[in-house]
């Protein structure tokens, strides 16, 4: 069964802390994505990666960075967490090409106090 | 830049009836892909259906069909014979085929569908 695994389902952090959200996929997919989901705003793309060590900014990259050192792992980093980064974070992966559907992880709900 | 718009925050339908969820998009790409996903209250994202911009036929998957009107830039989802289990959030999404949009998959705001018995 194909799987995208996010390391933490729930995190509570303090303002200013550095936060790492990890995502691992076992499908040998080239593409990996990080989204945040907020009520009324849908899913907004933060960053995506189409290959190891390659990354592209999405629509809301400010305050975030990413790392992809291995094909199966894509990490989202909040250098200095702020309260407006409280959200649900969804990782996804897909094959390349237009038709490659996204396979999603279960999500990581981050609360920044 | 590509954009997806879902103008219906919420929709209601009676069980066994059909319902259409609206989606319009904006892109300058000639080649692109359109997706619909379902998110039940459990939170998982479930892929429903895909339509390529060059596909001549509307995509269908079981009770789901995608009403693709390229000139109007719309990609509405039609669910036939609604079931109680169809109650969920539905997202329309688009993947760009060139330039800065290449590979990027952009989602709309979502529509909450409630199916009444």
């Amino acid at each position: 069964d194909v799987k995208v695994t996010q390391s933490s389902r729930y995190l509570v952090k303090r303002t200013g802390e550095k936060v790492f959200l990890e995502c691992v996929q076992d499908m040998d997919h080239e593409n990996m994505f990080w989204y945040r989901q907020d009520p009324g705003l849908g899913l907004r793309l933060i960053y995506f990666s189409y290959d190891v060590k390659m990354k592209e900014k999405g629509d809301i990259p400010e305050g975030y960075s990413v790392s992809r050192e291995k094909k199966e792992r894509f990490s989202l980093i909040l250098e200095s967490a702020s309260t407006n980064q409280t959200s649900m974070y969804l990782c996804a992966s897909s094959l390349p090409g237009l038709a490659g559907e996204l396979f999603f992880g279960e999500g990581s709900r981050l609360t920044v106090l | 830049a590509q954009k997806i718009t879902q103008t219906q925050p919420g929709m209601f339908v009676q069980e066994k009836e059909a319902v259409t969820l609206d989606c319009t998009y904006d892109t300058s790409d000639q080649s692109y892909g359109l997706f619909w996903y379902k998110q039940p209250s459990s939170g998982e994202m479930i892929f429903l259906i895909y339509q390529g911009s060059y596909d001549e036929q509307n995509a269908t998957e079981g009770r789901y069909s995608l009403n693709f009107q390229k000139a109007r830039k719309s990609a509405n989802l039609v669910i036939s014979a609604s079931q109680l289990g169809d109650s969920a959030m539905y997202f329309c999404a688009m993947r760009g085929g060139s330039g800065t949009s290449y590979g990027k998959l952009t989602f709309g705001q979502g529509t909450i569908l409630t199916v009444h018995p």
Side-chain angles (χ1 to χ4, degrees), chain A residues 30-112:
Chain A
E30 284 79 2
N31 295 343
M32 294 190 76
F33 304 78
W34 275 107
Y35 291 89
R36 64 176 282 177
Q37 182 176 6
D38 301 286
L41 298 177
L43 278 71
R44 292 180 292 165
L45 181 63
I46 305 171
Y47 269 96
F48 70 103
S49 168
Y50 52 89
D51 203 348
V52 175
K53 296 193 188 293
M54 307 302 287
K55 61 186 179 186
E56 291 283 341
K57 290 181 180 178
D59 298 314
I60 51 163
E62 298 79 17
Y64 303 95
S65 62
V66 289
S67 171
R68 193 165 181 202
E69 296 295 320
K70 293 186 177 181
K71 190 176 186 181
E72 67 270 19
R73 188 180 297 269
F74 192 35
S75 302
L76 180 69
I77 303 151
L78 288 67
E79 294 289 342
S80 177
S82 63
T83 54
N84 63 12
Q85 292 178 310
T86 291
S87 187
M88 172 67 85
Y89 290 88
L90 293 170
C91 175
S93 71
S94 79
L95 289 169
L98 278 180
E101 67 181 270
L102 262 61
F103 292 85
F104 283 86
E106 292 182 308
S108 298
R109 182 163 293 282
L110 172 67
T111 302
V112 182

Side-chain angles (χ1 to χ4, degrees), chain A residues 33 35 37 40 42-43 45 48 59 94 97-102 104, chain B residues 31 35 37 39 45 47 50 91 95-96 102-105 107-109:
Chain A
F33 304 78
Y35 291 89
Q37 182 176 6
L43 278 71
L45 181 63
F48 70 103
D59 298 314
S94 79
L98 278 180
E101 67 181 270
L102 262 61
F104 283 86
Chain B
S31 178
F35 300 77
Y37 280 84
Q39 187 179 45
M45 291 286 285
F47 166 72
Y50 169 79
F91 291 102
R95 173 179 265 136
Y102 183 74
K104 196 173 154 180
L105 215 148
F107 283 79
Q109 307 93 316

Side-chain angles (χ1 to χ4, degrees), chain B residues 4 7 29 38 46 60 69 72 74 98 100 110 115:
Chain B
I4 290 276
T7 56
D29 290 345
K38 172 185 178 181
I46 302 167
T60 60
Q69 298 188 41
R72 299 178 67 177
S74 76
S98 64
T100 56
V115 180

